[in-house]
């Protein structure tokens, strides 16, 4: 449902021609990665472009704070603002958080493309290929080598890396926190409950936060 909504609004905003609509290309790429049937993608595209009758969605971003003052940003696609804001506010209040004003935390996040590759690959060779493809940076964490791109270059860099023989394990355009907050186990557990609740809401597309959550918080 969330993938369909993203395709629909992308087509509504930029038309059904993928060649002229980068956001639609990105939404369809994400849907294909989620194994969505092509006929479902086509119907969602046509509904968004007005070629078929469908529900009109609008984008609304909510910003707030979770446990320990962690910044939380929630992107939604909704056909009923009143319903969505009530559900989002309830999730925050139930899990040691509070909904903030527009612009209260968005400045802490930057939109980037991220391609994640296996640590078993040769990082120097991958770095050379990524820079040749037009990537902004290459780094790594405990789980993967991460290639960072400008959002507008994400699709072309991803395609170029694949052509160079580097297939990514995970790829997305996301909002990356410019600064992060370390939280303790208890705060991390409260924050995870908030994030899970928000992500379960039908109108919510993506949830971002700037916390470094300790592994112990994920344990029951």
């Amino acid at each position: 449902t969330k993938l369909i909504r993203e395709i629909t609004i992308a087509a509504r905003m930029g038309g059904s021609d993928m060649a002229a609509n980068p956001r639609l290309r990105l939404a369809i790429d994400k849907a294909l990665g989620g194994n969505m049937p092509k006929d479902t993608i086509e119907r969602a595209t046509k509904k968004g472009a007005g070629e078929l009758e469908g529900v009109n969605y609008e984008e609304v971003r909510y910003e707030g704070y979770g446990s320990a003052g962690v910044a939380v940003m929630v992107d939604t696609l909704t056909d009923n603002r009143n319903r969505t804001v009530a559900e989002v506010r309830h999730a925050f209040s139930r899990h040691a958080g509070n909904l903030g004003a527009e612009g209260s935390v968005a400045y802490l996040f930057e939109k980037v493309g991220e391609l994640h590759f296996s640590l078993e690959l040769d990082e120097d060779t991958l770095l050379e290929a990524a820079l040749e493809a037009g990537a902004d940076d290459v780094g790594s964490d405990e789980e993967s080598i991460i290639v960072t791109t400008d959002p507008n270059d994400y699709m072309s860099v991803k395609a170029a890396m694949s052509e160079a023989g580097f297939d990514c394990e995970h790829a997305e355009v996301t909002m990356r926190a410019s600064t992060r907050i370390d939280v303790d186990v208890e705060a991390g557990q409260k924050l995870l409950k908030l994030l899970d609740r928000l992500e379960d809401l039908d109108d919510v597309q993506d949830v971002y936060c700037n916390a470094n959550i300790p592994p112990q918080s994920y344990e029951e």
Side-chain angles (χ1 to χ4, degrees):
T1 300
K2 294 182 179 184
L3 292 170
I4 288 172
R5 288 187 183 186
E6 175 59 29
I7 292 171
T8 300
I9 198 166
R12 191 186 80 184
M13 295 179 68
S16 60
D17 181 7
M18 285 205 308
N21 188 342
R23 179 169 177 174
L24 180 60
R25 288 201 305 273
L26 179 61
I28 291 177
D29 179 72
K30 190 173 182 179
L32 291 172
N35 296 318
M36 182 182 290
K38 291 186 178 180
D39 59 340
T40 303
I41 293 174
E42 184 177 355
R43 284 197 303 272
T45 302
K46 288 182 177 180
K47 283 182 180 180
E51 299 169 23
L52 293 176
E53 184 176 351
V55 178
N56 288 325
Y57 296 105
E58 62 176 324
E59 294 179 288
V60 185
R61 171 171 286 171
Y62 298 99
E63 304 171 47
Y65 299 91
S67 181
V70 169
V72 180
M73 193 162 66
V74 186
D75 284 343
T76 71
L77 290 179
T78 178
D79 60 349
N80 186 326
R81 276 177 175 251
N82 292 333
R83 177 194 67 227
T84 304
V85 70
E87 291 177 344
V88 171
R89 181 180 288 112
H90 182 67
F92 272 98
S93 63
R94 281 287 302 274
H95 298 289
N98 61 282
L99 196 60
E102 181 179 352
S104 57
V105 304
Y107 71 94
L108 295 170
F109 296 86
E110 175 189 13
K111 190 174 185 179
V112 298
E114 288 188 350
L115 310 175
H116 294 246
F117 298 87
S118 170
L119 287 170
E120 296 179 0
L121 296 172
D122 182 76
E123 188 168 351
D124 290 337
T125 306
L126 190 146
L127 171 63
E128 183 178 349
L131 295 179
E132 180 70 22
D136 290 341
D137 192 22
V138 177
S140 62
D141 59 20
E142 296 178 354
E143 299 179 349
S144 59
I145 301 172
I146 304 171
V147 174
T148 304
T149 77
D150 183 283
N152 296 322
D153 298 331
Y154 167 80
M155 291 298 294
S156 62
V157 172
K158 183 181 178 184
M161 293 299 290
S162 180
E163 290 176 7
F166 295 101
D167 292 324
C168 52
E169 297 180 330
H170 173 70
E172 64 178 343
V173 172
T174 186
M175 299 297 291
R176 185 175 63 187
S178 56
T179 59
R180 304 193 70 85
I181 297 175
D182 291 325
V183 299
D184 61 24
V185 173
E186 182 180 356
Q189 290 172 338
K190 291 179 180 178
L191 185 60
L192 286 172
K193 289 179 180 179
L194 169 61
L195 300 179
D196 287 343
R197 178 56 186 154
L198 289 168
E199 289 173 349
D200 283 343
L201 297 178
D202 290 340
D203 296 335
V204 171
Q205 293 294 107
D206 296 292
V207 181
Y208 309 99
C209 79
N210 69 338
N212 290 320
I213 301 175
Q216 298 90 329
S217 297
Y218 293 89
E219 300 173 1
E220 292 293 337

